[in-house]
Amino acid sequence: MSAGFEPAQPEAGQRLREARLLPWSGHEGKSSYLISDARGGRLSRLADIAETTQLDMGAQLLTHAEDMLPDATETQLRFLAERLTEALRDILRVVESRERRTGGCACRP
C-alpha cells in the first residue's frame, strides 16, 4: 500500500551513491543519512561545510585545553572534559562518514 510517495529513481546511466552519514544527529540522537547522486547537491555541500567546521572547532578546543590544563580548577576540568567529549564524538562521526565515502581513507573529500 502506497501513501503517494515513490522513491526517486536514478536517470538512465546515473547511479545512486551509498548513503552518506551526515555530521549531525536526527531526532533522539539517531544518525542522519543522505542519499544523492554523484553530483551531490546543496545538502551535501552543507554537510561538507559542517564537517570542516567541526574539525576546526575540535582543533581549536584542543589548543585551548592544552593552554588551560596546568592551572585548571575542578569545575573547569569537568567543563573541558564535556566539551572535548562532544568534539571527539563529532570528529569520529566525520571520520566514519569519510571512510564510508572513500573506501577506508578518511582523507578530505
Side-chain angles (χ1 to χ4, degrees):
M1 178 174 177
S2 176
F5 173 77
E6 295 297 323
Q9 296 296 318
E11 296 177 14
Q14 188 180 42
R15 282 184 30 213
L16 286 179
R17 296 190 326 189
E18 191 172 314
R20 175 183 180 170
L21 176 63
L22 294 173
W24 52 79
S25 298
H27 295 297
E28 301 174 4
K30 294 181 181 178
S31 297
S32 296
Y33 294 89
L34 171 67
I35 299 175
S36 67
D37 60 26
R39 295 174 296 166
R42 276 190 232 159
L43 188 55
S44 189
R45 288 188 298 276
L46 179 62
D48 290 341
I49 292 167
E51 285 182 354
T52 300
T53 300
Q54 289 172 326
L55 294 174
D56 290 344
M57 289 174 62
Q60 290 175 16
L61 180 60
L62 181 58
T63 299
H64 179 66
E66 290 170 339
D67 291 342
M68 76 177 288
L69 276 176
D71 302 314
T73 66
E74 185 177 329
T75 302
Q76 290 171 327
L77 287 174
R78 180 174 180 81
F79 183 80
L80 184 59
E82 290 169 353
R83 301 299 75 79
L84 287 169
T85 300
E86 292 167 357
L88 181 57
R89 185 178 298 115
D90 290 343
I91 289 168
L92 289 175
R93 182 186 302 268
V94 170
V95 169
E96 180 182 353
S97 177
R98 290 183 179 184
E99 283 179 341
R100 288 180 182 199
R101 288 181 283 146
T102 60
C105 176
C107 308
R108 291 189 180 254

